[in-house]
Amino acid sequence: MKALVTGATSGIGQSIARKLAKRGWELILTGRNEDMLREMQKTIGKGTEIIAADLSKREEVFRVYEFCKGKDVDMLVNNAGYGLFGKFDETDMNDELAMIDLNVTALHILTKLFLRDFKRRDYGTILNVASVAGFMPGPLMAAYYASKNYVLKLSIAIYEELRRDKSNVTITVLCPGPVATNFNNRAGVSFSVKPITADYAAEYALHKAFTGKLFAIPGLTVKLGAFAQRFVPYKLVSAIVYNVQQAKKTSDGQGKALKK
Ligand SMILES: NC(=O)c1ccc[n+]([C@@H]2O[C@H](COP(=O)([O-])OP(=O)(O)OC[C@H]3O[C@@H](n4cnc5c(N)ncnc54)[C@H](OP(=O)(O)O)[C@@H]3O)[C@@H](O)[C@H]2O)c1
């Protein structure tokens, strides 16, 4: 069995890769950090292939797909992504567009191409990493939340198409709350609640993916939050999320992503 894992150099993606390797999977790992990819290859060993790529660039996404072609990939883990903090009119435009290219466009392209391959042979698993942010609007991280809404809703829709086709291909969407990774540093925030570990999120996601479940929402509080927000008007959810995000401001009082 072979899996492609994006964002395998850190955090949740690295944990998923290591857990898959322990289960005997062969891996194709990608990320931009070539040194870390080599390190992963060395420690995971046998059968691990690596390809350094910046997935915010469309041509690089297709290059990764071409690299995987003919290698009988059984599982796609669309994990690479990051967030940006700040008021929408103040966040850096280029950084934000690159984030959309990574969180949305790269995931969209890989999902479509691998789904076609998987459907052709009626076997395969897609694990898309969204976030609990996918269930709601996210003032002060507006574009990040919107990008995860895309990932979540796309995955739910594909699940239904596969179900109607009685396909053996499965899709699972991981929607964690805070996870202790490098995410915060990149986003320019600090968590206001205790995060779960990347290992826990990874194990939970793989369990749900291998049992064909659509949702993987680790942690009772996050599960309850994702459920309860359905019964609350958007404007009120948005006001609550604003307060939650405000509490995540870094000590210098501003997110890293403010206009340069
Ligand atoms: N941590 C949380 O609280 C949390 C909560 C909900 C959802 N998530 C989601 O979980 C996923 C993984 O994030 P994480 O928490 O594990 O954060 P992380 O430790 O920062 O890992 C992010 C991964 O994405 C890769 N990446 C970033 N930019 C990239 C680019 N342009 N091209 C290719 N790869 C790129 C990074 O690799 P390189 O630097 O080597 O490129 C790294 O492996 C993300 O989609 C994130 O939105 C995280």
Side-chain angles (χ1 to χ4, degrees), residues 39 76 95 137 145-146 148 156 163 187 192 223-224 234-235:
E39 181 65 30
L76 164 66
D95 210 2
Y145 274 60
K148 293 301 181 179
I156 296 171
R163 196 180 71 81
S192 46
K223 222 178 256 128
L224 284 174
Y234 274 136
K235 280 163 77 177

Side-chain angles (χ1 to χ4, degrees), residues 136-139 232-244:
M136 48 196 94
V232 182
Y234 274 136
K235 280 163 77 177
L236 181 53
V237 174
S238 202
I240 294 167
V241 174
Y242 184 97
N243 291 336
V244 172

